[in-house]
Amino acid sequence: MSINLEWYKVFRTVGQNESFSKAAMQLFMTQPAVSQIISQLERELDTRLFNRTSKGVSLTDEGSLLFEYVHSALNLLEAGNEKLYELKNLSAGELKIGVGDTISRYYLLPYLEAFHTNYPSIRFKIINGTTVELIAALKSGEADIAVCNFPVVDDSLEKRVCFDVQDIFVYGERFKKLFLRPVPLQELTRLPLILLEPKSNSRQYVEDFLLEKGVKIYPEFELGSHELLLEFAQINLGIACVVREFAAKYLERGKLHEVEFLEPIPKRSIGVCYLKDVSLSPAASKFIEILERV
């Protein structure tokens, strides 16, 4: 059986209009062409689908049964095409973004606002976690893209740098006399330190660098958020490792001060990741495009 989908479209239109001529006008076809297609369909199915009279046509019992299925099937196809069109034109859909609290608060919010302003019909789903957790979310399909701390070593991911950041140590007024001049990295071993929790990618980066220089650090406080690092340092509970760009307000207002080292910590990056072997949705592609405009 070789039935063309177009035959079913013609069949549905004839059934809706109960007329070959009206169907032909609606389909921008000639009446003989419509009659020929219906005849071909009836031959292929070995079933009479229409009762033909001088006043027009009407569906047979078999034709009525087929009409219900054809009508439903074509409606589903049309709805699918419409949804696909909406997704491509960003008038519907969902964007699942994996991002940590700190990056979300200090970096991502303006981009979320800009995207939502331009494409208000796209729903956001935000998945919070560490870099390791966000990569797992990408691989499980829970997230479309992840905005996270680099470096990320994973050959299955496409990685794009968004901007560079500088890890620094900061202190409050109580420790000011200790840092009147640049100090060696080894000085950190004698100080009460405040760090992010061990599974944090940014903490691992700093610790790895210090270990390369022969410096092993042991924090007195391990916290779950960048904001808490800043607050603990401000009330003189220790020297906190933070991101300079995310601590700008504290530094500018003199609430905290940056430790000057004889050898600074190298800069690293924050970027966006997604799976290499999975096509990005139109919404995800557009969001990455907005991030890269900076």
Side-chain angles (χ1 to χ4, degrees):
M1 186 181 295
S2 57
I3 297 176
N4 192 309
L5 181 62
E6 293 300 318
W7 293 4
Y8 282 129
K9 291 181 180 179
V10 171
F11 166 72
R12 181 180 67 168
T13 306
V14 173
Q16 289 172 328
N17 289 278
E18 297 185 331
S19 167
F20 284 170
S21 59
K22 289 180 181 178
M25 291 178 62
Q26 190 171 323
L27 294 166
F28 301 100
M29 299 171 66
T30 64
Q31 183 173 334
V34 170
S35 299
Q36 182 180 5
I37 287 173
I38 296 301
S39 296
Q40 287 175 310
L41 183 60
E42 289 178 326
R43 283 197 299 274
E44 285 289 338
L45 297 173
D46 193 24
T47 303
R48 187 164 58 87
L49 300 174
F50 290 100
N51 296 311
R52 294 159 174 82
T53 68
S54 58
K55 294 182 180 180
V57 296
S58 61
L59 288 163
T60 63
D61 290 342
E62 296 84 355
S64 294
L65 176 65
L66 181 64
F67 181 86
E68 294 302 322
Y69 284 99
V70 169
H71 186 60
S72 296
L74 291 177
N75 278 345
L76 284 173
L77 285 173
E78 289 164 0
N81 286 335
E82 185 176 340
K83 286 296 181 184
L84 185 59
Y85 176 82
E86 289 176 352
L87 290 173
K88 286 184 176 180
N89 289 276
L90 301 179
S91 55
E94 181 180 57
L95 176 56
K96 298 175 291 185
I97 303 174
V99 64
D101 289 333
T102 301
I103 296 175
S104 179
R105 176 175 182 177
Y106 291 103
Y107 169 67
L108 203 62
L109 286 179
Y111 299 100
L112 293 173
E113 181 183 10
F115 186 90
H116 182 67
T117 299
N118 290 320
Y119 309 105
S121 298
I122 301 295
R123 302 184 306 277
F124 284 121
K125 181 179 179 181
I126 306 298
I127 298 97
N128 292 116
T130 64
T131 296
V132 172
E133 292 168 341
L134 297 180
I135 299 309
L138 279 179
K139 293 182 176 181
S140 68
E142 188 180 356
D144 299 320
I145 60 175
V147 183
C148 54
N149 290 297
F150 284 6
V152 171
V153 181
D154 193 318
D155 292 337
S156 69
L157 300 177
E158 188 72 38
K159 300 174 278 283
R160 299 191 186 183
V161 172
C162 293
F163 72 107
D164 292 334
V165 292
Q166 178 68 61
D167 295 291
I168 60 173
F169 283 81
V170 294
Y171 59 91
E173 290 299 317
R174 175 186 164 191
F175 297 94
K176 205 166 185 178
K177 291 182 179 179
L178 298 177
F179 303 109
L180 297 177
R181 60 184 60 84
V183 297
L185 293 168
Q186 192 67 35
E187 187 71 13
L188 289 172
T189 61
R190 303 194 306 108
L191 298 168
L193 299 180
I194 309 169
L195 303 180
L196 285 172
E197 54 196 2
K199 60 183 179 179
S200 162
N201 207 42
S202 55
R203 170 174 169 175
Q204 289 176 7
Y205 175 81
V206 171
E207 284 192 315
D208 288 346
F209 167 73
L210 292 174
L211 281 174
E212 288 178 4
K213 302 300 178 181
V215 179
K216 176 66 176 176
I217 55 176
Y218 299 93
E220 292 198 12
F221 296 95
E222 295 179 327
L223 306 176
S225 79
H226 191 267
E227 189 67 23
L228 282 176
L229 294 175
L230 296 168
E231 293 295 329
F232 272 46
Q234 185 180 337
I235 60 174
N236 298 301
L237 292 179
I239 314 301
C241 183
V242 299
V243 175
R244 180 190 288 155
E245 289 75 9
F246 301 158
K249 289 183 179 179
Y250 285 79
L251 296 169
E252 290 168 2
R253 296 171 183 174
K255 293 181 178 180
L256 291 173
H257 311 280
E258 179 180 341
V259 177
E260 290 188 54
F261 292 111
L262 295 173
E263 184 177 2
I265 301 168
K267 286 188 175 184
R268 58 183 175 86
S269 301
I270 286 173
V272 60
C273 300
Y274 52 91
L275 294 175
K276 285 182 178 178
D277 56 355
V278 176
S279 297
L280 286 173
S281 68
S285 295
K286 180 58 68 172
F287 191 78
I288 291 174
E289 182 183 313
I290 290 175
L291 289 178
E292 292 181 332
R293 287 177 187 168
V294 179

